[in-house]
Amino acid sequence: MTGRYIFPNTIRFILVLLLQVFVLNNINLFGWASPMVYPFLILLLPINLPVSIVLLSAFFAGYTVDFWSNGGGIHAASLTLMAFLRKPLLTQLMPQSGYEKDELPTFVNQGIGWFFIYSGIMLFIHHLMYFVLEAYSLSNFGLTLFRVLVSGIVSIMLYWIVSLTALPNRKKQR
Amino acid sequence: MRNLLFLLSKIHALLLFIVLEIIAFSLISKSHTYQGASISNTSNWFTGSFYNFSENYTQYFGLRNENIALQKENARLRGQLKYFANYPKQDSIYPKRDSLSSYIYIPAKVINNTIYKTHNFITINKGSNDGIKVDMGVMNSNGVVGIVSKVSDNYALVMSILNTNTSISVKHKKSGAFGNFKWKGFNPTIVNVEDMSKTANVKKGDTIVTSGYSTIFPPDFPIAIAKNVKTIKESGFQKIETTPTADINKIDYVYIVEKIEKMEIDSLESELSKPQLNDR
């Protein structure tokens, strides 16, 4: 079931992680917003991919980013949490007709509104965990929350710009 | 049976999740044990050499500004040279050396740097092979940059002044009052000076310099300029917000400062004076 995903997803993982580590990690808008696209690697995995594979991919991707950016394990911890909550959220957001077999959770397949809610909630979970761990304390929580929101908005906007310009008309891509 | 399998499949995901999170959290807590220093991934040889490689290509973009900065520093040092040329020679009432001469400076290049995190680190391309040790000070020609927190053979990780765990002893240049230089996070252009007595009466535009209380930095080296000063009633302190004189976002080249032990200086000088005696 998943065999045909391995090759394109491996390439995508490598490209996105390179983009994250060598380009985006060097960008900081206004000094406090750091765009993160690597959560989309996990967001866009096929809907019925086994949770264990999603979890392992998330840990791997997160730890790779940590390795290159002195993160310790904060990217890995936050991305694994997001990956774990992906299945329950997908179940909650399931349309009445259900998902098709091997469907990808993209805005082309599921509609813009659906995808906005899905990616918004997922990114909020990831960013919240990430920035709390990064600050390593719950004091100054307002500031942390502010960073979560600003970085989340920047990340979503970046994803939309990339996907709208780079992936035109790929309806129902499997 | 089907229910059991379903349950198992659910539980195995949960178990995997817990195991992965435990691994991640143990990595995080490990990274916070040593003086709050992050585990030094970008100072290990693999990532270090990779960042060094990419820095070799990106450094050209900053070359123009770097030249201007070096020119300025040269001019400043030339001015000092003139001053020291008139400095009275030995066996006068002046001390043999001033406090500056007991520090040595090792130049290094910044190969990785962040400013948007709460705990920011800088990776430099010099390590224990070049004599870098933990707790050495790092500065550039404009001001203080940070403190070395972890060293590998060829690279070192520097806790930048934009790291909420960094605290540097400073003093107000005019009054000589002491304080603590500490970043609150968030804005990279604002660093607070804490615990400075109200009697110092710091004004906007005043220079804050290193105190020399610790041996990490030479005394009286500029670190920040006061930007906003508020006097808090019912307390002996002022709330001082300062702008660091070193622009951490744009640093390319830095100096690592080491205080030479007094004994070391003395033995060095006695060695120097021997051939001089023979010449006479």
Side-chain angles (χ1 to χ4, degrees):
Chain A
M1 181 190 85
T2 56
R4 68 185 123 166
Y5 291 118
I6 292 176
F7 183 67
N9 270 309
T10 311
I11 301 289
R12 185 158 67 183
F13 264 64
I14 293 170
L15 286 179
V16 170
L17 291 177
L18 282 174
L19 174 76
Q20 179 68 46
V21 169
F22 288 105
V23 182
L24 298 179
N25 277 1
N26 296 314
I27 295 174
N28 52 91
L29 295 163
F30 331 113
W32 18 261
S34 38
M36 291 191 244
V37 288
Y38 72 92
F40 284 100
L41 286 173
I42 303 305
L43 280 179
L44 296 177
L45 287 173
I47 287 173
N48 55 2
L49 196 69
V51 182
S52 50
I53 296 181
V54 177
L55 282 172
L56 287 171
S57 330
F59 185 81
F60 167 76
Y63 188 68
T64 309
V65 178
D66 277 325
F67 186 77
W68 289 95
S69 59
N70 290 320
I74 51 180
H75 291 101
S78 43
L79 199 62
T80 310
L81 176 71
M82 192 195 91
F84 183 68
L85 296 175
R86 191 181 100 118
K87 191 91 183 180
L89 182 68
L90 279 171
T91 316
Q92 282 296 315
L93 292 176
M94 185 158 70
Q96 281 190 339
S97 53
Y99 297 114
E100 288 172 44
K101 192 175 176 292
D102 289 1
E103 194 159 290
L104 296 174
T106 60
F107 68 87
V108 183
N109 288 347
Q110 312 293 340
I112 287 180
W114 182 91
F115 187 76
F116 189 78
I117 295 170
Y118 169 62
S119 59
I121 295 174
M122 288 271 93
L123 277 182
F124 180 76
I125 293 165
H126 170 269
H127 280 38
L128 185 66
M129 181 79 162
Y130 171 80
F131 281 105
V132 166
L133 287 175
E134 209 268 317
Y136 210 56
S137 78
L138 284 175
S139 68
N140 230 338
F141 191 70
L143 176 59
T144 304
L145 210 60
F146 181 70
R147 293 183 127 162
V148 170
L149 292 177
V150 174
S151 280
I153 290 167
V154 171
S155 301
I156 287 186
M157 271 163 53
L158 192 77
Y159 171 75
W160 282 89
I161 291 166
V162 170
S163 58
L164 288 175
T165 51
L167 313 164
N169 302 324
R170 292 221 285 181
K171 183 91 177 142
K172 302 261 177 189
Q173 192 240 342
R174 301 267 162 90
Chain B
M1 190 62 197
R2 225 195 67 179
N3 281 341
L4 188 70
L5 277 177
F6 182 71
L7 188 74
L8 258 175
S9 76
K10 241 189 171 168
I11 283 181
H12 98 267
L14 182 69
L15 285 178
L16 184 64
F17 167 68
I18 291 170
V19 168
L20 290 176
E21 287 291 354
I22 287 172
I23 297 172
F25 273 91
S26 68
L27 286 166
I28 296 168
S29 63
K30 211 164 97 187
S31 74
H32 278 86
T33 45
Y34 184 72
Q35 292 182 341
S38 172
I39 196 153
S40 65
N41 284 319
T42 55
S43 71
N44 70 35
W45 72 269
F46 181 68
T47 48
S49 50
F50 214 97
Y51 276 120
N52 209 3
F53 173 80
S54 70
E55 175 62 27
N56 273 340
Y57 291 92
T58 52
Q59 65 173 325
Y60 295 105
F61 297 117
L63 226 49
R64 196 188 141 85
N65 289 331
E66 209 50 49
N67 271 336
I68 294 169
L70 281 175
Q71 226 166 18
K72 271 186 190 159
E73 193 179 16
N74 266 345
R76 192 171 57 81
L77 292 175
R78 264 174 202 281
Q80 278 185 5
L81 210 60
K82 231 175 182 174
Y83 168 75
F84 284 117
N86 301 327
Y87 207 71
K89 299 263 160 15
Q90 276 191 16
D91 48 74
S92 71
I93 52 160
Y94 290 91
K96 269 193 208 160
R97 65 185 101 80
D98 69 337
S99 55
L100 270 177
S101 66
S102 57
Y103 287 84
I104 56 165
Y105 298 82
I106 306 164
K109 200 172 81 184
V110 172
I111 57 171
N112 193 30
N113 182 15
T114 59
I115 63 160
Y116 57 83
K117 296 179 184 173
T118 324
H119 303 108
N120 291 299
F121 287 90
I122 299 166
T123 316
I124 55 173
N125 70 340
K126 291 279 165 76
S128 55
N129 286 351
D130 309 280
I132 311 292
K133 291 183 209 97
V134 170
D135 277 349
M136 283 184 176
V138 180
M139 48 210 249
N140 73 357
S141 52
N142 293 328
V144 170
V145 170
I147 298 169
V148 176
S149 75
K150 183 137 189 179
V151 180
S152 67
D153 283 355
N154 295 308
Y155 302 98
L157 205 62
V158 177
M159 246 164 88
S160 129
I161 50 172
L162 302 182
N163 184 319
T164 50
N165 289 333
T166 310
S167 173
I168 296 169
S169 166
V170 294
K171 72 182 178 196
H172 181 216
K173 197 178 182 185
K174 267 187 206 155
S175 67
F178 289 98
N180 252 331
F181 189 71
K182 213 164 180 349
W183 192 48
K184 291 276 183 224
F186 189 56
N187 187 343
T189 62
I190 300 281
V191 182
N192 287 38
V193 173
E194 294 169 345
D195 305 337
M196 191 171 273
S197 160
K198 213 187 235 174
T199 51
N201 193 19
V202 179
K203 296 236 158 58
K204 192 183 169 182
D206 282 1
T207 310
I208 306 293
V209 295
T210 50
S211 72
Y213 259 18
S214 67
T215 53
I216 293 175
F217 293 103
D220 302 317
F221 194 78
I223 182 164
I225 307 286
K227 195 178 182 188
N228 292 316
V229 184
K230 269 180 215 149
T231 308
I232 309 160
K233 280 179 189 172
E234 289 111 28
S235 111
F237 304 107
Q238 284 177 305
K239 186 175 183 284
I240 306 164
E241 289 183 340
T242 64
T243 311
T245 47
D247 189 347
I248 302 296
N249 201 14
K250 288 179 185 153
I251 44 169
D252 275 323
Y253 292 90
V254 291
Y255 300 105
I256 293 93
V257 198
E258 181 179 23
K259 188 180 170 72
I260 311 169
E261 301 299 327
K262 196 177 180 304
M263 255 166 61
E264 211 171 317
I265 303 171
D266 289 347
S267 67
L268 202 67
E269 283 185 345
S270 64
E271 263 183 63
L272 266 176
S273 60
K274 270 176 205 160
Q276 279 175 352
L277 284 170
N278 291 344
D279 285 349
R280 276 179 216 165

